[in-house]
Coordinates of all heavy atoms in Angstrom, one line a residue:
R64 N 117.0 32.8 -84.0 CA 116.0 33.7 -84.5 C 114.9 32.9 -85.3 O 115.3 32.0 -86.0 CB 116.4 34.6 -85.4 CG 117.2 35.8 -84.9 CD 117.5 36.7 -86.1 NE 116.6 37.9 -86.1 CZ 116.7 38.8 -87.0 NH1 117.6 38.8 -88.0 NH2 115.9 39.9 -86.9
P65 N 113.7 33.2 -85.1 CA 112.6 32.6 -86.0 C 113.0 32.9 -87.5 O 113.5 34.0 -87.8 CB 111.4 33.3 -85.7 CG 111.5 33.8 -84.3 CD 113.0 34.3 -84.2
Q66 N 112.7 31.9 -88.4 CA 112.9 32.2 -89.7 C 112.0 31.3 -90.6 O 111.4 30.3 -90.0 CB 114.3 31.9 -90.2 CG 114.7 30.5 -90.2 CD 116.1 30.3 -90.8 OE1 116.3 29.3 -91.4 NE2 117.1 31.2 -90.7
D67 N 111.8 31.6 -91.8 CA 111.0 30.8 -92.7 C 112.0 29.8 -93.4 O 113.0 30.2 -93.8 CB 110.3 31.6 -93.8 CG 109.2 32.4 -93.2 OD1 108.4 32.0 -92.4 OD2 109.2 33.8 -93.3
S68 N 111.5 28.6 -93.6 CA 112.4 27.7 -94.3 C 111.5 26.5 -94.7 O 110.2 26.5 -94.4 CB 113.5 27.1 -93.4 OG 113.0 25.9 -92.6
P69 N 111.9 25.5 -95.4 CA 110.9 24.4 -95.8 C 110.3 23.8 -94.7 O 109.2 23.1 -94.8 CB 111.9 23.4 -96.6 CG 113.0 24.3 -97.0 CD 113.2 25.3 -96.0
T70 N 110.9 23.9 -93.4 CA 110.3 23.2 -92.3 C 109.8 24.2 -91.2 O 109.3 23.8 -90.2 CB 111.3 22.3 -91.6 OG1 112.5 23.1 -91.2 CG2 111.7 21.2 -92.5
R71 N 109.9 25.5 -91.4 CA 109.7 26.4 -90.4 C 108.8 27.6 -91.0 O 108.8 27.8 -92.2 CB 110.9 27.0 -90.0 CG 111.8 26.1 -89.1 CD 113.2 26.7 -88.9 NE 113.9 25.8 -88.0 CZ 114.3 26.1 -86.8 NH1 114.2 27.3 -86.3 NH2 114.9 25.2 -86.0
E72 N 108.0 28.2 -90.1 CA 107.2 29.3 -90.5 C 107.1 30.4 -89.4 O 107.3 29.9 -88.2 CB 105.9 28.8 -90.9 CG 105.1 29.7 -91.9 CD 103.8 29.2 -92.4 OE1 103.6 28.0 -92.3 OE2 102.8 29.9 -92.6
R73 N 107.0 31.6 -89.7 CA 106.9 32.6 -88.6 C 105.8 33.7 -89.1 O 105.5 33.8 -90.2 CB 108.2 33.2 -88.4 CG 108.7 34.0 -89.6 CD 110.1 34.4 -89.4 NE 110.4 35.0 -90.7 CZ 111.3 35.8 -91.0 NH1 112.1 36.3 -90.1 NH2 111.5 36.3 -92.2
K74 N 105.3 34.2 -88.1 CA 104.2 35.3 -88.3 C 104.5 36.4 -87.3 O 104.6 36.4 -86.2 CB 102.9 34.7 -88.0 CG 101.7 35.6 -88.0 CD 100.4 34.9 -87.7 CE 99.3 35.9 -87.7 NZ 98.0 35.3 -87.6
R75 N 104.8 37.7 -88.0 CA 105.1 38.9 -87.2 C 103.8 39.3 -86.6 O 102.8 39.4 -87.2 CB 105.6 39.8 -88.3 CG 106.8 40.6 -87.8 CD 107.1 41.7 -88.6 NE 108.1 41.5 -89.7 CZ 109.4 41.7 -89.5 NH1 109.9 42.3 -88.4 NH2 110.2 41.6 -90.6
L76 N 103.9 39.7 -85.4 CA 102.8 40.2 -84.6 C 102.7 41.7 -84.6 O 102.0 42.3 -83.8 CB 102.7 39.6 -83.2 CG 102.6 38.1 -83.1 CD1 102.7 37.6 -81.7 CD2 101.5 37.6 -83.9
D77 N 103.5 42.4 -85.3 CA 103.7 43.9 -85.2 C 102.3 44.5 -85.6 O 101.6 44.0 -86.5 CB 104.8 44.4 -86.1 CG 106.1 43.8 -85.6 OD1 106.2 43.0 -84.7 OD2 107.2 44.2 -86.3
G78 N 102.1 45.7 -85.2 CA 100.9 46.4 -85.5 C 100.4 47.3 -84.4 O 101.2 47.8 -83.5
V79 N 99.2 47.5 -84.3 CA 98.5 48.2 -83.1 C 98.1 47.3 -82.1 O 97.2 46.4 -82.5 CB 97.4 49.2 -83.7 CG1 96.8 49.9 -82.6 CG2 98.0 50.1 -84.8
W80 N 98.6 47.3 -81.0 CA 98.1 46.5 -79.9 C 97.2 47.4 -78.8 O 97.2 48.7 -78.9 CB 99.3 46.0 -79.1 CG 100.2 44.9 -79.8 CD1 100.4 44.8 -81.2 CD2 100.9 43.9 -79.2 NE1 101.3 43.7 -81.4 CE2 101.5 43.2 -80.3 CE3 101.0 43.4 -78.0 CZ2 102.4 42.1 -80.0 CZ3 101.9 42.2 -77.7 CH2 102.6 41.6 -78.8
L81 N 96.6 46.8 -77.9 CA 96.0 47.5 -76.8 C 97.0 47.8 -75.8 O 98.0 47.0 -75.7 CB 94.9 46.6 -76.2 CG 93.7 46.2 -77.0 CD1 92.8 45.4 -76.2 CD2 93.0 47.5 -77.6
F82 N 96.8 48.9 -75.1 CA 97.8 49.4 -74.1 C 97.1 50.1 -73.0 O 96.2 50.8 -73.2 CB 98.7 50.4 -74.8 CG 99.8 51.1 -74.0 CD1 101.1 50.4 -73.8 CD2 99.6 52.2 -73.4 CE1 102.0 51.0 -73.1 CE2 100.6 52.8 -72.6 CZ 101.8 52.2 -72.5
R83 N 97.8 49.9 -71.8 CA 97.2 50.6 -70.6 C 98.4 50.8 -69.6 O 99.0 49.8 -69.3 CB 96.1 49.9 -70.1 CG 95.5 50.5 -68.9 CD 94.3 49.6 -68.3 NE 93.9 50.1 -67.0 CZ 93.0 49.6 -66.3 NH1 92.3 48.6 -66.7 NH2 92.7 50.2 -65.2
F84 N 98.5 51.9 -69.0 CA 99.4 52.2 -67.9 C 98.8 51.5 -66.6 O 97.6 51.4 -66.4 CB 99.7 53.6 -67.7 CG 100.6 54.3 -68.6 CD1 100.1 55.3 -69.4 CD2 101.8 53.8 -68.8 CE1 100.7 55.9 -70.3 CE2 102.7 54.5 -69.7 CZ 102.2 55.5 -70.4
D85 N 99.7 51.0 -65.7 CA 99.2 50.3 -64.6 C 99.7 51.2 -63.4 O 100.6 50.8 -62.7 CB 99.8 48.9 -64.5 CG 99.2 48.0 -63.3 OD1 98.5 48.6 -62.5 OD2 99.6 46.9 -63.3
H86 N 99.0 52.4 -63.2 CA 99.5 53.3 -62.2 C 99.6 52.8 -60.9 O 100.6 53.1 -60.1 CB 98.5 54.6 -62.2 CG 98.7 55.3 -63.5 ND1 99.7 56.2 -63.8 CD2 97.8 55.3 -64.7 CE1 99.5 56.7 -65.0 NE2 98.5 56.2 -65.5
A87 N 98.7 52.0 -60.4 CA 98.7 51.4 -59.1 C 99.3 50.1 -58.9 O 99.3 49.4 -57.9 CB 97.3 51.5 -58.5
D88 N 100.0 49.6 -60.0 CA 100.5 48.3 -60.1 C 99.6 47.2 -59.6 O 99.9 46.5 -58.7 CB 101.9 48.3 -59.3 CG 102.7 47.1 -59.8 OD1 102.4 46.5 -60.8 OD2 103.7 46.8 -59.1
E89 N 98.5 47.3 -60.1 CA 97.4 46.3 -59.7 C 97.0 45.2 -60.7 O 96.2 44.4 -60.5 CB 96.1 47.1 -59.3 CG 95.5 47.9 -60.5 CD 94.5 48.9 -60.1 OE1 94.0 48.8 -58.9 OE2 94.1 49.7 -61.0
G90 N 97.7 45.4 -61.9 CA 97.3 44.4 -63.0 C 97.5 43.0 -62.8 O 96.8 42.1 -63.2
L91 N 98.6 42.7 -62.1 CA 99.0 41.2 -61.9 C 97.9 40.7 -60.9 O 97.3 39.7 -61.2 CB 100.3 41.1 -61.2 CG 101.5 41.0 -62.2 CD1 102.8 41.0 -61.4 CD2 101.3 39.8 -63.2
A92 N 97.6 41.4 -59.7 CA 96.7 40.9 -58.8 C 95.3 40.9 -59.5 O 94.5 40.0 -59.2 CB 96.7 41.7 -57.6
G93 N 95.0 41.9 -60.2 CA 93.7 42.0 -60.9 C 93.5 41.1 -62.1 O 92.5 41.2 -62.7
R94 N 94.5 40.4 -62.4 CA 94.5 39.5 -63.6 C 94.1 40.1 -64.8 O 93.1 39.7 -65.5 CB 93.6 38.2 -63.1 CG 94.2 37.3 -62.1 CD 93.1 36.4 -61.7 NE 92.5 35.6 -62.6 CZ 92.9 34.5 -63.3 NH1 94.1 34.1 -62.9 NH2 92.3 33.9 -64.2
W95 N 94.8 41.1 -65.1 CA 94.4 41.9 -66.3 C 94.5 41.1 -67.6 O 94.0 41.4 -68.7 CB 95.2 43.2 -66.5 CG 94.8 44.3 -65.5 CD1 93.9 44.2 -64.5 CD2 95.4 45.7 -65.5 NE1 93.8 45.5 -63.8 CE2 94.7 46.3 -64.4 CE3 96.3 46.3 -66.2 CZ2 94.9 47.6 -64.1 CZ3 96.5 47.7 -65.9 CH2 95.8 48.3 -64.9
Y96 N 95.4 40.1 -67.5 CA 95.7 39.2 -68.7 C 94.5 38.2 -68.9 O 94.4 37.5 -69.9 CB 96.9 38.5 -68.4 CG 97.0 37.8 -67.1 CD1 96.5 36.5 -66.9 CD2 97.5 38.5 -66.0 CE1 96.5 35.9 -65.6 CE2 97.5 37.8 -64.8 CZ 97.0 36.6 -64.5 OH 97.1 36.1 -63.3
A97 N 93.6 38.1 -67.9 CA 92.6 37.1 -68.0 C 91.4 37.3 -69.0 O 90.7 36.4 -69.3 CB 91.9 36.9 -66.6
G98 N 91.4 38.6 -69.5 CA 90.4 38.9 -70.5 C 90.9 40.0 -71.4 O 92.1 40.5 -71.3
A99 N 89.9 40.7 -72.1 CA 90.4 41.7 -72.9 C 90.8 42.9 -72.0 O 90.2 43.1 -71.0 CB 89.2 42.2 -73.8
L100 N 91.9 43.6 -72.4 CA 92.4 44.6 -71.5 C 91.5 45.8 -71.5 O 91.1 46.4 -72.6 CB 93.8 45.1 -72.2 CG 94.7 45.9 -71.2 CD1 95.1 45.2 -70.0 CD2 96.0 46.2 -72.2
R101 N 90.9 46.2 -70.3 CA 89.9 47.2 -70.3 C 90.5 48.7 -70.3 O 91.7 48.8 -69.8 CB 89.1 47.1 -69.0 CG 88.0 45.9 -69.1 CD 87.0 46.0 -68.2 NE 86.7 44.6 -67.7 CZ 86.8 44.3 -66.4 NH1 87.0 45.2 -65.5 NH2 86.6 43.1 -66.1
D102 N 89.8 49.6 -70.7 CA 90.2 51.0 -70.6 C 91.4 51.2 -71.3 O 92.4 51.9 -71.0 CB 90.3 51.6 -69.2 CG 89.1 51.5 -68.5 OD1 88.0 51.6 -69.0 OD2 89.0 51.1 -67.2
A103 N 91.6 50.4 -72.5 CA 92.9 50.4 -73.1 C 93.0 51.4 -74.3 O 91.8 51.8 -74.8 CB 93.2 49.0 -73.7
R104 N 94.1 51.9 -74.7 CA 94.2 52.7 -75.8 C 95.2 52.0 -76.8 O 95.7 51.0 -76.5 CB 94.7 54.1 -75.5 CG 95.8 54.1 -74.6 CD 96.3 55.5 -74.4 NE 96.7 55.8 -73.0 CZ 97.0 57.0 -72.5 NH1 96.9 58.0 -73.3 NH2 97.3 57.2 -71.3
A105 N 95.3 52.6 -77.9 CA 96.1 51.9 -79.0 C 97.6 52.2 -78.8 O 97.9 53.3 -78.3 CB 95.6 52.4 -80.4
M106 N 98.4 51.2 -79.2 CA 99.9 51.4 -79.1 C 100.5 50.7 -80.2 O 100.1 49.5 -80.5 CB 100.4 51.0 -77.7 CG 101.8 51.2 -77.6 SD 102.5 52.8 -77.8 CE 101.6 53.8 -76.6
A107 N 101.4 51.4 -80.8 CA 102.2 50.7 -81.9 C 103.2 49.8 -81.4 O 103.9 50.0 -80.4 CB 102.9 51.8 -82.7
V108 N 103.3 48.7 -82.0 CA 104.4 47.7 -81.8 C 105.1 47.4 -83.1 O 104.4 47.0 -84.1 CB 103.9 46.4 -81.1 CG1 104.8 45.3 -81.1 CG2 103.3 46.6 -79.8
P109 N 106.4 47.6 -83.3 CA 107.2 48.0 -82.3 C 107.3 49.5 -82.1 O 107.3 50.2 -83.2 CB 108.7 47.5 -82.7 CG 108.6 47.4 -84.2 CD 107.1 47.1 -84.5
A110 N 107.6 50.1 -80.9 CA 107.7 51.5 -80.7 C 108.1 51.7 -79.2 O 107.7 50.7 -78.3 CB 106.4 52.2 -81.0
S111 N 108.8 52.7 -78.8 CA 108.8 53.1 -77.5 C 107.4 53.7 -77.3 O 106.9 54.6 -78.1 CB 109.8 54.2 -77.2 OG 111.1 53.6 -77.5
Y112 N 106.8 53.6 -76.1 CA 105.5 54.3 -75.9 C 105.7 55.8 -75.6 O 104.8 56.6 -75.9 CB 104.6 53.6 -74.9 CG 105.2 53.5 -73.5 CD1 105.4 54.5 -72.7 CD2 105.5 52.2 -73.0 CE1 105.9 54.4 -71.5 CE2 106.0 52.0 -71.7 CZ 106.2 53.1 -70.9 OH 106.7 53.0 -69.7
N113 N 106.9 56.2 -75.1 CA 107.0 57.5 -74.5 C 106.7 58.6 -75.4 O 105.9 59.5 -75.0 CB 108.5 57.7 -74.0 CG 108.9 56.4 -73.2 OD1 109.3 55.4 -73.8 ND2 109.1 56.5 -71.9
D114 N 107.3 58.7 -76.5 CA 107.0 59.9 -77.4 C 105.8 59.9 -78.4 O 105.6 60.8 -79.1 CB 108.3 60.1 -78.3 CG 109.5 60.6 -77.5 OD1 109.3 61.0 -76.3 OD2 110.6 60.7 -78.0

Side-chain angles (χ1 to χ4, degrees):
R64 282 183 107 180
Q66 68 171 216
D67 293 309
S68 86
T70 56
R71 293 170 174 240
E72 205 174 330
R73 64 190 172 157
K74 175 174 175 172
R75 222 190 264 265
L76 301 180
D77 300 1
V79 175
W80 291 33
L81 297 178
F82 177 88
R83 181 180 169 181
F84 286 119
D85 189 355
H86 292 279
D88 198 11
E89 59 194 350
L91 277 177
R94 292 169 49 83
W95 285 9
Y96 49 88
L100 196 58
R101 282 201 225 124
D102 303 322
R104 46 178 139 189
M106 181 51 65
V108 171
S111 297
Y112 58 69
N113 313 78
D114 286 354

